[in-house]
Structure formats: C-alpha cells, structure tokens
C-alpha cells in the first residue's frame, strides 16, 4: 500500500501532468485542425496548414486556441491520474526487479482504463467547448451555447441525461491500447538504449517518445475519429443509434465513414494528429524525465524505479 501512496508516484504524476500541459500548449493549434478534419466532413481543405489558415481567416487569430483552458485542465487531470496509476501499479508489481515489455503493457492498459472511467466527462465537455462557435460546413451539426465548463456540464446533464457525459467511453476503452502501446514501446526502447549507454540525452528521450507515439497513434487512429464524433455528440445520428458508444454504433460510424470516403476516410486528419501527438508526446516525455530527475536529485532520493 505504501508504494501506491508514495511520494515517488506523486512526483511522477505531477511531472507527467506538467509535461503534458507544456507540450499541449505549444502544439495546441494542430489539435484544433485535427478535430475539425475529423468532425466536419464537408470541409474542402485537406491539409493541416490550410485548415489552420481557414480557421484564422474566418474566426480570428486566436481561434486555433479556442477551448484551450478546458482541454488543458482535462489533460492535467487525465495525465495526473494516468502517471500516478501507472507508476503505483508498476511499483507494486515490479517490486525492485527489472520490468518487462509485457508488464509495461498490462500496467499501461489498467492505468488507461482507470483514467478513461474517471476523466471521460471532462473530455466530452472540452470537445464541445473546443468546437463551439466553429463555422461548420456540415449542416447536420447542431450548434451549442455553453458559457463555460460548469455550464456545459449542467446543460448536458439537463438536456441529454448524465450518461451523455460518458459518450464515446466504449471507443475510449478500446483506445486505452494507445497509451499502453505507447508506454510499452517507450519503456522498451529506453531499456534497449540504456544497455548501450549509461545515460539518455534529451534528444534520445525526445526521439523515443516520438517513435512510441507515432506507432500507437497510427494503429489506433480510426477509433480516435469515431471517439471525436461520439464525444461531440451533435451529429443527427439514426434514432436507433442513440445509445452513443455502443459497439454497434462504433461499427456503424466506421462503416459509414468507409462508405463515404473510402478506407482513407478512417485516417482523415491523421497528418495533423501525428504532427501534434508525436511532437506533444516527445516534448511531454522530455519535460517529464527532466522534472522527475531534477525533483529526485533535489530531494536526495534515488530514482527508485528500475527500467
């Protein structure tokens, strides 16, 4: 139990949260472009920079940063939960031995499930706030009018019921494989590099963080597209498909997308997503590693986890 409540897990959680917030703020406009490409199917611009230029021209210079605060607060909570759970479980299970790729994957998966169940309502609200006031090309989208995070929670519960806050939970649970795959590759690559050298440079951490995220994102992207559409929840879906997030609905949305745009429709916005997540993950891991190392040094603690 001590390892779950340990100071070390807290340091990892805070460093992970700070790392993700820093990285997300730097690359936030890329996420705005990705979300528009996924949700607004009638948009003619296909490339990231064209979509961003269009958004700035039509909606103002700060439009790519719309919804920054709810996203950052959700991300902060989400990564805190993820890193805390990941490091606590790892400490409990590994208990001073060397970790293995299989253990990293299992621990990453469990941490992801805990994270999804606790933080999905925050992500549903911030997807809506990020798209509020956007000029959509798709007439099927019902506009929203929320004053902020609390008002969005209130309106969604009042108009759509409390379960709407967990819209997209099913694909999110499937998407738990994304961070699990990412952490598995990250920890694995890190172990391989550490065999060859004593210490990893900033560039090493940046590159392995980028490679791990690129693999995880490409493997799970079609589900991310469905997740964005479900979280947004403002498309006029078939009445029999109102149970957002069920397996049938996920398959229905995947099928619709392939029928209308071909197999590449599942990868619409991937370029923006890869640019944003790969750079964000790489920068996040870099800040995370530096912060944990610095904190442990200052506190005179040895980095107790053996990787």
């Amino acid at each position: 139990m001590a390892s779950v409540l340990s100071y070390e897990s807290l340091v990892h959680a805070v460093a992970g949260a700070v790392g993700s917030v820093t990285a997300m703020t730097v690359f936030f406009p890329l996420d705005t472009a990705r979300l528009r490409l996924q949700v607004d199917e009638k948009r003619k611009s296909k490339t990231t920079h064209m979509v961003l230029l269009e958004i700035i021209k039509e909606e103002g210079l700060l439009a790519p940063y719309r919804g920054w605060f709810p996203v950052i607060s959700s991300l902060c909570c989400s990564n805190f939960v993820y890193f805390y759970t990941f490091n606590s479980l790892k400490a409990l299970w590994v208990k001073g031995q060397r970790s293995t790729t299989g253990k990293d994957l299992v621990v990453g998966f469990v941490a992801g499930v805990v994270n999804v169940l606790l933080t999905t309502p925050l992500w549903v609200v911030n997807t809506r706030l990020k798209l509020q006031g956007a000029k959509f090309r798709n007439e099927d989208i019902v506009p929203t009018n929320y004053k902020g995070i609390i008002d969005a929670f209130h309106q969604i519960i009042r108009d759509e019921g409390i379960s709407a806050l967990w819209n997209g939970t099913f694909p999110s649970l499937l998407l738990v494989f994304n961070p699990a795959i990412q952490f598995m590759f990250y920890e694995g690559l890190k172990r391989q590099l550490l065999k060859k050298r004593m210490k990893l440079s900033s560039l090493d951490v940046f590159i392995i963080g980028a490679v791990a995220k690129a693999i995880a994102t490409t493997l799970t992207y079609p589900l991310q597209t469905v997740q964005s559409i479900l979280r947004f929840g403002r498309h006029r879906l078939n009445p029999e498909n109102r149970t957002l997030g069920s397996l049938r609905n996920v398959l229905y949305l995947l099928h619709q997308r392939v029928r209308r745009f071909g197999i590449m429709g599942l990868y619409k916005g991937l370029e923006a997503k890869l640019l944003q997540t790969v750079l964000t993950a790489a920068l996040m891991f870099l800040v995370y590693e530096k912060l944990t190392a610095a904190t442990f040094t200052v506190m005179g603690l040895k980095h107790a986890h053996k990787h």
Side-chain angles (χ1 to χ4, degrees), residues 232-276:
F232 185 43
R234 311 305 293 175
H235 285 69
R236 294 182 175 93
L237 281 174
N238 288 0
E240 70 270 20
N241 275 309
R242 275 325 301 173
T243 52
L244 287 178
S246 70
L247 179 59
R248 210 171 84 211
N249 223 32
V250 170
L251 295 174
Y252 166 79
L253 283 168
L254 287 170
H255 175 67
Q256 286 293 91
R257 202 121 181 131
V258 173
R259 220 179 64 198
R260 290 171 63 186
F261 304 107
I263 201 80
M264 289 321 287
L266 294 176
Y267 286 91
K268 209 168 169 226
L270 177 64
E271 169 210 6
K273 181 71 179 172
L274 271 178
L275 252 179
Q276 179 251 323

Side-chain angles (χ1 to χ4, degrees), residues 285-306:
F285 277 122
L286 185 59
V287 175
Y288 163 67
E289 292 286 354
K290 294 286 171 212
L291 255 177
T292 43
T295 312
F296 288 131
T297 310
V298 169
M299 301 309 291
L301 285 164
K302 253 174 61 243
H303 197 323
H305 280 342
K306 289 193 175 146

Side-chain angles (χ1 to χ4, degrees), residues 86-306:
F86 184 86
N87 285 288
S88 300
L89 288 173
K90 200 167 165 177
L92 274 174
W93 194 10
V94 177
K95 286 202 178 79
Q97 302 147 16
R98 289 186 76 79
S99 188
T100 62
T101 308
K103 281 183 181 176
D104 286 337
L105 185 64
V106 173
V107 169
F109 189 80
V110 176
V113 170
V114 171
N115 185 22
V116 164
L117 296 175
L118 289 177
T119 62
T120 291
L122 285 169
W123 289 112
V124 167
V125 165
N126 88 46
T127 301
R128 305 251 185 129
L129 288 170
K130 204 163 166 16
L131 291 165
Q132 183 161 283
K135 291 182 168 54
F136 291 114
R137 306 290 192 273
N138 189 348
E139 317 74 56
D140 284 349
I141 292 173
V142 190
T144 58
N145 187 22
Y146 305 127
K147 294 185 190 71
I149 298 177
I150 306 298
D151 185 51
F153 270 114
H154 175 71
Q155 279 196 47
I156 293 168
I157 293 167
R158 188 191 65 202
D159 302 338
E160 301 166 53
I162 197 152
S163 64
L165 289 172
W166 274 270
N167 276 356
T169 299
F170 188 79
S172 297
L173 284 171
L174 295 177
L175 276 169
V176 160
F177 281 112
N178 183 310
I181 292 165
Q182 176 191 347
F183 264 73
M184 180 183 81
F185 277 100
Y186 179 75
E187 298 280 339
L189 288 166
K190 200 161 112 181
R191 276 196 292 274
Q192 290 306 313
L193 274 179
L194 283 169
K195 281 179 189 166
K196 297 186 179 73
R197 58 193 85 167
M198 284 299 294
K199 200 162 164 281
L200 296 184
S201 70
S202 298
L203 186 64
D204 291 334
V205 173
F206 193 86
I207 289 169
I208 59 176
V211 170
K213 191 61 180 179
I215 296 168
T217 299
T218 308
L219 289 174
T220 56
Y221 191 75
L223 278 171
Q224 292 183 6
T225 300
V226 169
Q227 180 195 46
S228 290
I229 294 167
L230 289 174
R231 277 180 178 169
F232 185 43
R234 311 305 293 175
H235 285 69
R236 294 182 175 93
L237 281 174
N238 288 0
E240 70 270 20
N241 275 309
R242 275 325 301 173
T243 52
L244 287 178
S246 70
L247 179 59
R248 210 171 84 211
N249 223 32
V250 170
L251 295 174
Y252 166 79
L253 283 168
L254 287 170
H255 175 67
Q256 286 293 91
R257 202 121 181 131
V258 173
R259 220 179 64 198
R260 290 171 63 186
F261 304 107
I263 201 80
M264 289 321 287
L266 294 176
Y267 286 91
K268 209 168 169 226
L270 177 64
E271 169 210 6
K273 181 71 179 172
L274 271 178
L275 252 179
Q276 179 251 323
T277 53
V278 166
L279 293 171
T280 303
L283 185 57
M284 180 198 79
F285 277 122
L286 185 59
V287 175
Y288 163 67
E289 292 286 354
K290 294 286 171 212
L291 255 177
T292 43
T295 312
F296 288 131
T297 310
V298 169
M299 301 309 291
L301 285 164
K302 253 174 61 243
H303 197 323
H305 280 342
K306 289 193 175 146

